[in-house]
Amino acid sequence: MTDDDTTVSDLKSKVRAFCEEREWDQFHDPKELAIGMVTESAELLEIFRFKDAAQCKGAIADPVRGKDIRDELSDVLYFVLRFAQMNDIDLSEALCSKMEENARKYPADRVRDRNEKYNEYKDI
C-alpha cells in the first residue's frame, strides 16, 4: 500500500478490521481515542525535543530515528482514522470544510510570510 494507490476509506477499513479482530470496539470511545491521538503526538514530539531544524531533518533522514518517526506518525494516524471510523466522520469532507474556513481566516494575499494566528492580526 502507498499513498498513491490507497484511499482514506481503505485505511479506515484496515484499522476497523484490525480492531474488530481483537474486539477492541469496547475500548474505543471518543475520549479514549482522543487521548490516544494526544499521547502518540507527544511521543512524536519527544523525538524532536531540544533539536534545531537541521537536527530534526537529520533525524527524519536517519534510518533508525526515521523509522521511529514514521512509527509514531503512524500511531497518530491510526488514532485519527479509528476516531473517524468509530464516529462516522468523513475525514476528506471534514478536511476540505476546514481548509475553506482557514482560507477565509487566512487570506493568502494578506498573510503571506506571516505566522500570527488569525485573531492576532492588527490589519486584517
Side-chain angles (χ1 to χ4, degrees):
M1 294 179 87
T2 68
D3 286 353
D4 290 336
D5 63 12
T6 307
T7 67
V8 174
S9 183
D10 293 337
L11 294 174
K12 286 165 74 173
S13 293
K14 190 169 188 68
V15 166
R16 172 187 287 132
F18 179 87
C19 293
E20 286 178 353
E21 185 176 28
R22 289 154 180 80
E23 297 182 0
W24 284 352
D25 285 6
Q26 62 187 318
F27 306 117
H28 289 174
D29 62 71
K31 178 193 70 134
E32 295 302 327
L33 294 170
I35 290 170
M37 282 183 238
V38 171
T39 55
E40 295 301 339
S41 295
E43 289 177 14
L44 175 62
L45 184 60
E46 184 178 25
I47 295 169
F48 299 108
R49 189 175 185 193
F50 303 123
K51 292 181 175 45
D52 63 28
Q55 290 170 314
C56 291
K57 289 283 191 182
I60 293 168
D62 179 79
V64 174
R65 281 318 262 168
K67 182 180 182 322
D68 293 341
I69 291 164
R70 290 188 300 278
D71 286 350
E72 295 304 340
L73 186 60
S74 295
D75 288 342
V76 173
L77 180 59
Y78 162 85
F79 278 102
V80 169
L81 292 166
R82 184 64 168 159
F83 190 101
Q85 178 259 309
M86 290 291 291
N87 296 286
D88 297 317
I89 296 170
D90 185 310
L91 285 171
S92 297
E93 182 181 292
L95 178 64
C96 289
S97 175
K98 183 62 177 175
M99 294 298 293
E100 288 173 13
E101 183 180 321
N102 285 343
R104 288 188 295 276
K105 288 180 182 178
Y106 300 98
D109 62 326
R110 302 199 61 204
V111 301
R112 192 169 284 110
D113 290 325
R114 298 174 70 171
N115 66 353
E116 298 101 341
K117 190 171 178 179
Y118 69 92
N119 62 356
E120 295 174 341
Y121 293 131
K122 294 176 181 41
D123 61 337
I124 293 183

